[in-house]
């Protein structure tokens, strides 16, 4: 059996009838049918998505070990071997993060064909649609379908509103999934993250621009759902909404400049340690508080302890015993 016939029989034709049924159930709104199909598809893929999110969270947890590997091994081959060994011990599959995206891409292509078939105004598309509909009254009576939704023509290409939503959504998704301040990331990894942050949104924005607006509506809704799931189960990482403000504008507003460089001082917890020294006269107690998160302050504390111990003078001599006559 040809691959094209398998594709139509197993994916396109069932999806055409599913979209027609959803449109009939949702008051004849094809846009609502697309949104409902997006929610259903994401729900079916949720187990795989949850596995991907757990893998992303595990990657964040092993960042200190990855940093240690980067420092200890200079040979790229040995570094890669140790990294893969760490992945295996932690049960992390880096390629598993791409699972939902790889599965959604065929759905993206199939939905493109479905929208062209169901909303096409040409006689060829109407004939093709009539041959691929199941013989159920509910499906047959729902034709023709309306292509208008929220002021958009879902059958027309080049909807710039959907392009903007897809680009911003995918940029945010890539941003919260990659840390900029992690010290475990090498310079090459940081450059790769930056490239992916701009390349993936640009690529899918071009796809959305070249396809009907209904496809863009599906991908925009799917991206927003993905952001919410990632924010809930993994977290935003080092992303903050204030980081979206450019540095020149922050300076004009009197705000602190946003720095994306690794901050090594954040790695050490800041805990206050109170050191007590006993003086010789009267049992007087001196307290000195140092910050355990700073090496310089710990050194100052040690110097202060030595100075304090020297200033107390020699230890008091034991008192004389009273003789009993």
């Amino acid at each position: 059996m040809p691959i094209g016939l398998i594709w139509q029989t197993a994916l396109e034709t069932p999806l055409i009838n599913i979209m027609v049924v959803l449109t009939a159930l949702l008051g004849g709104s094809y846009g609502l049918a697309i949104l409902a199909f997006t929610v259903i598809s994401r729900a079916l893929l949720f187990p795989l998505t949850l596995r991907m999110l757990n893998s992303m969270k595990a990657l964040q947890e092993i960042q200190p070990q990855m940093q240690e590997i980067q420092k200890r091994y200079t040979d790229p081959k040995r570094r890669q071997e140790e990294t893969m060994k760490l992945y295996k011990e932690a049960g992390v599959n880096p390629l598993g993060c791409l699972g939902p995206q790889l599965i959604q891409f065929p759905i993206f292509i199939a939905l493109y064909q479905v929208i062209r078939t169901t909303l096409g105004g040409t006689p060829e598309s109407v004939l093709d649609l009539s041959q691929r509909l199941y013989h159920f009254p509910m499906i047959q009576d729902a034709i023709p379908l309306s292509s208008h939704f929220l002021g958009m023509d879902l059958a027309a290409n080049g909807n710039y509103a959907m392009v903007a939503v897809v680009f911003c959504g995918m940029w945010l998704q890539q941003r919260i999934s990659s840390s900029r301040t992690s010290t475990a990331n090498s310079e090459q990894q940081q450059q790769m993250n930056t490239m992916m942050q701009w390349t993936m949104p640009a690529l899918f924005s071009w796809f959305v621009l070249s396809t009907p607006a209904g496809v863009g509506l599906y991908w925009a809704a799917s991206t927003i759902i993905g952001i919410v799931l990632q924010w809930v189960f993994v977290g935003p990482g080092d992303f903050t909404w204030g980081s979206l403000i450019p540095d020149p504008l922050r300076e004009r507003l009197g705000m602190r400049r946003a720095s994306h460089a690794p901050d090594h001082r954040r790695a050490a917890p800041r805990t206050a340690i109170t050191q007590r020294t006993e003086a010789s006269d009267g049992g007087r107690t001196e307290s000195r508080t140092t910050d355990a998160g700073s090496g310089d302050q710990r050194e100052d504390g040690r110097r202060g302890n030595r100075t304090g111990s020297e200033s107390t003078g020699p230890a008091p001599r034991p008192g004389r015993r009273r003789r009993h006559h």
Side-chain angles (χ1 to χ4, degrees), residues 58 62 85-92:
I62 63 174
K85 182 180 178 181
L86 178 61
Y87 286 160
K88 185 177 180 180
E89 293 176 354
V92 175

Side-chain angles (χ1 to χ4, degrees), residues 208-221:
V208 170
L209 187 64
S210 306
T211 55
V215 180
L217 180 63
Y218 162 78
W219 197 258

Side-chain angles (χ1 to χ4, degrees), residues 6-321:
I6 297 176
W7 175 270
Q8 290 182 2
T9 304
L11 190 59
E12 276 191 23
T13 300
L15 187 54
I16 287 174
N17 290 271
I18 288 174
M19 294 302 299
V20 174
V21 170
L22 289 176
T23 303
L25 293 176
L26 295 173
S29 175
Y30 199 84
L32 291 179
I34 293 176
L35 295 178
F37 172 74
T38 306
V39 174
I40 293 172
S41 62
R42 295 292 302 201
L44 294 176
L45 293 175
F46 180 74
L48 184 60
T49 303
L50 185 59
R51 185 181 303 177
M52 176 202 71
L53 295 175
N54 290 333
S55 181
M56 293 177 60
K57 190 173 183 179
L59 280 174
Q60 292 182 359
E61 292 176 351
I62 63 174
Q63 288 298 315
Q65 291 89 331
M66 294 181 64
Q67 178 185 3
E68 188 66 25
I69 291 175
Q70 294 287 336
K71 293 180 179 180
R72 182 178 300 179
Y73 303 102
T74 56
D75 183 17
K77 184 178 180 180
R78 180 64 184 280
R79 184 182 296 175
Q80 184 178 4
E81 292 176 354
E82 294 296 328
T83 302
M84 297 305 297
K85 182 180 178 181
L86 178 61
Y87 286 160
K88 185 177 180 180
E89 293 176 354
V92 175
N93 183 13
L95 297 179
C97 300
L98 301 177
Q101 283 79 5
L102 294 178
I103 293 179
Q104 286 188 73
F105 195 70
I107 299 177
F108 182 86
I109 299 175
L111 189 61
Y112 166 72
Q113 297 292 339
V114 168
I115 291 177
R116 290 189 59 183
T117 302
T118 54
L119 298 182
T122 61
E124 293 81 3
S125 61
V126 175
L127 180 62
D128 187 18
L129 177 61
S130 62
Q131 294 176 353
R132 301 173 70 175
L133 291 177
Y134 297 150
H135 296 285
F136 295 102
M138 181 181 182
I139 296 177
Q140 297 290 334
D141 296 341
I143 303 300
L145 303 175
S146 175
S147 63
H148 297 284
F149 180 70
L150 297 179
M152 298 183 297
D153 186 1
L154 299 177
N157 293 2
N159 189 284
Y160 291 99
M162 288 294 98
V163 172
V165 173
V166 168
F167 183 86
C168 294
M170 292 202 67
W171 184 92
L172 179 59
Q173 191 174 30
Q174 291 290 327
R175 174 64 183 87
I176 65 178
S177 63
S178 59
S179 175
R180 290 187 177 185
T181 61
S182 176
T183 57
N185 291 339
S186 61
E187 183 179 355
Q188 183 178 3
Q189 183 68 31
Q190 295 282 359
Q191 293 177 356
M192 186 186 310
N193 291 340
T194 303
M195 182 183 67
M196 291 293 293
Q197 182 179 340
W198 294 99
T199 302
M200 294 296 291
L203 179 62
F204 278 90
S205 296
W206 180 80
F207 287 156
V208 170
L209 187 64
S210 306
T211 55
V215 180
L217 180 63
Y218 162 78
W219 197 258
S222 181
T223 302
I224 293 174
I225 294 175
I227 292 173
V228 173
L229 292 177
Q230 185 171 343
W231 201 290
V232 171
F233 289 96
V234 180
D238 60 358
F239 171 77
T240 58
W241 294 108
S243 64
L244 298 177
I245 304 176
D247 287 337
L249 182 58
R250 298 175 71 92
E251 294 177 357
R252 290 184 179 181
L253 296 176
M255 302 173 63
R256 187 174 60 181
R257 184 181 180 88
S259 176
H260 304 305
D263 191 355
H264 302 279
R265 294 176 298 178
R266 296 179 183 176
R270 303 181 64 86
T271 56
I273 301 176
T274 302
Q275 299 176 349
R276 306 174 65 88
T277 58
E278 296 288 341
S280 59
D281 48 343
R284 183 170 51 87
T285 302
E286 293 182 356
S287 298
R288 182 177 293 106
T289 302
T290 59
D291 191 353
S294 173
D296 295 337
Q297 293 181 356
R298 288 198 300 269
E299 184 64 25
D300 293 340
R302 288 193 292 268
R303 293 175 182 174
N305 291 339
R306 291 195 296 267
T307 304
S309 61
E310 293 174 359
S311 62
T312 56
R317 296 180 181 178
R320 298 179 180 178
R321 294 183 177 179

